[in-house]
Amino acid sequence: MNFNIFHVMGNLNQFTLAASGKVILALLVLDWFLTTTTDATLHEPGFTGPIENVTAPLGREAILACTVHNLSTYKVAWLRVDTQTILTIHTHVISRSRRVGVTHSDQRTWFLHIRELRETDRGWYMCQINTDPMKSQLGYLDVVVPPDILDRGTSTDQTVREGASVSLTCAATGSPHPQITWRREHSKSISISDGIKVTSLEGPVLNISRVNRQHAGAYLCIASNGVPPTVSKRIMLTVEFPPVITIRNQLVGAGLGTDLVLECETEAYPKPVSYWSRETGEIVPVGGGLEPQKIDGAYRSVLRLAIRRVTTSDYGTYKCVSKNSMGDTEGTIKLYPMPLPAMENRNVVQRLNIVAPDKSSESTPFGTQDFRLQDYNRAVLQKRFSNQFLFSLLILINVIFICFG
């Protein structure tokens, strides 16, 4: 687009300048006009090269460069094309914006400075030389904007029932337009349809069908467009489901006077109310020989019932009960009497031997005796080894007798 600065002579009223500013502008334009009528040099000025397009981030400074030759007494001006606004003439700033400036290098390269960039600064800029006819060239300023995730259009934390479907959305702005990537916290995989698991997904919407408790957790919506910084938003997905109880040992035997621990595991959300009861429905109280314990996780709870010094009244059925707003369930454990095992140590069995007195014997009120503890197991093993050796030796003698007899 060609825009001759001389045309501004009849359109000075479009500039909202103070009265003194209008006078200065009129003098500058008049000087511009007079200069074009003077044959200041035998060689007309021109452009040494094109204006390089500039890309700069929001809030920073952009500098467009216009390189000329043989300028002599001619002058260079910068204009905003889309608004047909004069920004600078020669070394003077015409724009009222404090963000605009102009510098030059030996009047050969003229720099247009735009500080504290805004998105509205994006567009075409013209460098003019006041020859007759006027010479000009264009350069483009692109203002890039880092991504920003919008609250409107982006999902908040979600709570869904197990088996339902859910869609998580993420809306972001920026220039260039950001790319949206979905990931799970702690590098967990994302389960999508047909049991397929992926580490990440692209796109503004994450659809999950037939949600189960494995889908529960934090999801990250990540927006990036090559302009730092990359931003993300954490969206928590909560899955509601009724209690599920797992009991590993439903029959437990214990002898009188022994200690034991009954255990059941529950999974549920919302957090359930869980407790132990007897077969009569009586809730097991805390204290005495019974000590209910509960260990909580995110969805999983472990209920333990410690019974100290079992008595006959402790035998019977125990119920592990769990309830929440989605439903309730229970599991049973039967505690039955079991005879106590023989009091022996299977690893080391020791016996007390009395041997004939010798010099090392000690005198006691009951006679001269020597008490020694011996490893019974080792003695048994030695005896077994001796028997096996004798048996093998007999077989060997028989074989030799048959072969050579």
Side-chain angles (χ1 to χ4, degrees):
M1 174 181 178
N2 291 329
F3 170 64
N4 195 325
I5 196 169
F6 302 118
H7 292 167
V8 302
M9 293 290 294
N11 297 294
L12 289 178
N13 57 343
Q14 67 177 321
F15 301 106
T16 58
L17 302 173
S20 59
K22 292 184 179 180
V23 173
I24 295 173
L25 178 60
L27 291 174
L28 287 171
V29 174
L30 180 61
D31 178 62
W32 179 283
F33 175 76
L34 293 176
T35 303
T36 61
T37 62
T38 303
D39 186 13
T41 178
L42 295 175
H43 302 285
E44 276 200 350
F47 297 106
T48 303
I51 300 175
E52 292 187 4
N53 295 334
V54 173
T55 298
L58 185 74
R60 304 295 289 274
E61 180 182 9
I63 302 176
L64 288 92
C66 179
T67 305
V68 299
H69 58 265
N70 299 327
L71 188 61
S72 187
T73 58
Y74 288 91
K75 291 180 173 57
V76 173
W78 281 100
L79 301 88
R80 176 75 184 262
V81 174
D82 55 354
T83 60
Q84 296 187 357
T85 303
I86 301 173
L87 301 176
T88 68
I89 296 177
H90 198 52
T91 59
H92 303 283
V93 177
I94 306 303
S95 171
R96 298 186 65 186
S97 173
R98 64 175 180 80
R99 301 184 299 113
V100 176
V102 63
T103 59
H104 65 87
S105 175
D106 296 329
Q107 296 196 3
R108 292 178 180 172
T109 304
W110 292 81
F111 301 100
L112 175 65
H113 300 258
I114 305 176
R115 294 175 291 273
E116 300 173 17
L117 280 174
R118 303 171 182 171
E119 287 193 73
T120 54
D121 295 325
R122 185 185 295 115
W124 291 97
Y125 290 81
M126 178 185 291
C127 176
Q128 280 189 4
I129 304 176
N130 61 335
T131 55
D132 188 15
M134 174 269 297
K135 294 181 179 179
S136 66
Q137 60 179 358
L138 301 177
Y140 189 79
L141 171 61
D142 187 18
V143 180
V144 293
V145 183
D148 183 34
I149 295 177
L150 304 175
D151 290 334
R152 185 173 183 178
T154 299
S155 297
T156 56
D157 292 347
Q158 301 287 307
T159 299
V160 297
R161 291 194 173 194
E162 193 169 41
S165 298
V166 67
S167 294
L168 304 180
T169 59
C170 186
T173 61
S175 180
H177 191 72
Q179 182 180 19
I180 303 298
T181 303
W182 292 94
R183 294 183 185 275
R184 288 195 70 178
E185 211 169 47
H186 307 305
S187 301
K188 291 182 179 180
S189 60
I190 300 175
S191 299
I192 54 179
S193 58
D194 301 325
I196 300 174
K197 293 185 177 182
V198 295
T199 57
S200 64
L201 281 174
E202 307 291 335
V205 181
L206 173 62
N207 293 312
I208 304 176
S209 57
R210 294 186 298 277
V211 172
N212 59 51
R213 64 200 70 174
Q214 280 70 41
H215 289 111
Y219 290 77
L220 299 176
C221 155
I222 304 169
S224 61
N225 64 351
V227 183
T230 296
V231 294
S232 65
K233 181 176 180 180
R234 184 176 185 267
I235 301 172
M236 192 70 184
L237 177 62
T238 302
V239 180
E240 293 183 330
F241 57 96
V244 176
I245 288 181
T246 303
I247 296 177
R248 303 187 185 280
N249 297 307
Q250 292 185 306
L251 290 174
V252 178
L256 290 171
T258 59
D259 298 338
L260 77 151
V261 177
L262 305 181
E263 184 174 287
C264 79
E265 298 177 7
T266 68
E267 286 187 44
Y269 194 86
K271 186 177 179 179
V273 175
S274 302
Y275 56 90
W276 290 95
S277 70
R278 298 298 299 267
E279 54 191 332
T280 59
E282 178 186 1
I283 296 177
V284 175
V286 178
L290 304 178
E291 302 176 9
Q293 301 176 6
K294 184 167 64 174
I295 302 173
D296 289 325
Y299 286 94
R300 180 174 169 268
S301 299
V302 179
L303 274 77
R304 291 173 180 161
L305 179 62
I307 304 177
R308 309 296 181 190
R309 296 179 295 277
V310 172
T311 65
T312 55
S313 63
D314 293 324
Y315 294 120
T317 301
Y318 291 82
K319 293 182 180 180
C320 174
V321 183
S322 187
K323 301 179 179 180
N324 69 3
S325 59
M326 306 295 295
D328 59 82
T329 188
E330 63 181 35
T332 60
I333 299 178
K334 186 172 182 180
L335 178 61
Y336 63 90
M338 184 174 157
L340 291 174
M343 298 300 292
E344 64 177 358
N345 188 335
R346 295 182 180 273
N347 295 323
V348 178
V349 178
Q350 297 177 334
R351 83 169 32 163
L352 186 65
N353 289 335
I354 301 177
V355 298
D358 57 16
K359 294 181 180 179
S360 61
S361 301
E362 296 182 1
S363 296
T364 68
F366 304 99
T368 303
Q369 296 176 336
D370 186 9
F371 296 91
R372 298 178 184 175
L373 290 176
Q374 298 179 355
D375 191 336
Y376 179 66
N377 279 356
R378 184 164 53 189
V380 171
L381 289 175
Q382 290 174 351
K383 185 175 180 180
R384 288 179 180 174
F385 177 76
S386 299
N387 292 339
Q388 290 176 357
F389 177 75
L390 291 174
F391 182 71
S392 301
L393 184 60
L394 288 174
I395 293 175
L396 181 60
I397 293 172
N398 289 334
V399 170
I400 294 173
F401 179 79
I402 292 171
C403 293
F404 299 97

